[in-house]
Amino acid sequence: MATVVWIHGGACNGNTQSFLNAEEPTVIDLVTDFGIEVLYHHALVTDMGEQTKALLNSIINGERELDVLVVEGTIINGPNGTGRYDMFLGRPFKDWVADLAPKSFVTVGVGECASFGGVPSTAPNPSDSEGLQFRKGKRGGFLGESFVARSGLPVINIPGCPAHPDWISHIRDFVNQDDTRMTGGGGVSCRWPGQASGIHGGGHNHNKTFG
């Protein structure tokens, strides 16, 4: 069963609303038929506060494995690099992302804001917002150009404002512990539902973008 944590940064919540309207597969299908365990999503689980903090810390400390980290919204660095314009569970949201992303098998940026910074990163950008691995069209972003998750893949971007619901559900569906195997070349071979083969990792020096 593949575990998913979905956390929300600087954005309008539109990608969550889009995801909840997915049809092929639906959110329910992902849980009941495709073996997806949603550890945290603010609209899908009942845990909050200290329970969520304990869960995320257990992943960071290596006590629990995370397969898919989904980030919705920009990474807010302001004011003055502190990230305190966007607090989550007592810490700047950006600090949670920095700690969780290297622990996940894949890291997904869902929507334009998480992928490239979106409208919030447009000049004069008072919140100092950026995407996970891009700031507008420039590589790097919050995690840096060289970031890769445990799979060896850089951030998987699903752009759109909001992203199409089926794009979102499929990126979650193709990464699961039964279908995914690390390849000898240091990448990952992943299968989309209904396909014989899918995405193959190699020398990853750029982001994968779907949509």
Side-chain angles (χ1 to χ4, degrees):
M1 180 172 287
T3 55
V4 177
V5 166
W6 179 312
I7 53 178
H8 192 282
C12 65
N13 205 50
N15 292 286
T16 284
Q17 302 307 315
S18 179
F19 177 50
L20 294 176
N21 282 290
E23 294 181 351
E24 295 182 4
T26 67
V27 175
I28 294 172
D29 290 338
L30 288 171
V31 175
T32 60
D33 297 338
F34 292 95
I36 302 296
E37 181 183 6
V38 181
L39 299 179
Y40 178 76
H41 184 299
H42 63 277
L44 296 175
V45 302
T46 57
D47 289 352
M48 61 182 66
E50 292 301 318
Q51 294 170 310
T52 301
K53 183 186 290 188
L55 166 69
L56 299 184
N57 280 325
S58 72
I59 295 168
I60 292 168
N61 295 333
E63 299 163 7
R64 186 157 196 174
E65 191 167 279
L66 176 62
D67 294 308
V68 185
L69 173 68
V70 181
V71 178
E72 176 179 2
T74 65
I75 307 302
I76 294 176
N77 295 296
N80 303 317
T82 66
R84 295 188 67 83
Y85 280 158
D86 185 13
M87 299 294 291
F88 178 57
L89 299 173
R91 301 176 65 197
F93 177 78
K94 73 182 187 72
D95 292 351
W96 286 110
V97 174
D99 288 345
L100 288 167
K103 299 291 185 177
S104 64
F105 187 72
V106 293
T107 297
V108 177
V110 62
E112 203 72 15
C113 288
S115 298
F116 307 110
V119 172
S121 66
T122 302
N125 192 4
S127 63
D128 195 12
S129 284
E130 60 188 338
L132 286 171
Q133 217 163 3
F134 278 88
R135 182 184 281 247
K136 292 296 188 181
K138 184 178 179 181
R139 298 185 190 280
F142 175 70
L143 293 174
E145 187 173 355
S146 62
F147 168 82
V148 291
R150 287 192 295 111
S151 61
L153 287 169
V155 173
I156 299 172
N157 287 322
I158 313 176
C161 188
H164 190 285
D166 292 341
W167 300 345
I168 302 172
S169 61
H170 280 185
I171 203 67
R172 228 152 255 87
D173 176 31
F174 87 87
V175 179
N176 65 73
Q177 292 175 342
D178 294 329
D179 289 1
T180 305
R181 299 290 183 269
M182 293 302 294
T183 65
V188 58
S189 175
C190 305
R191 184 181 305 153
W192 288 77
Q195 289 185 320
S197 61
I199 305 151
H200 298 276
H204 304 295
N205 57 7
H206 60 281
N207 290 58
K208 304 294 183 185
T209 302
F210 297 93

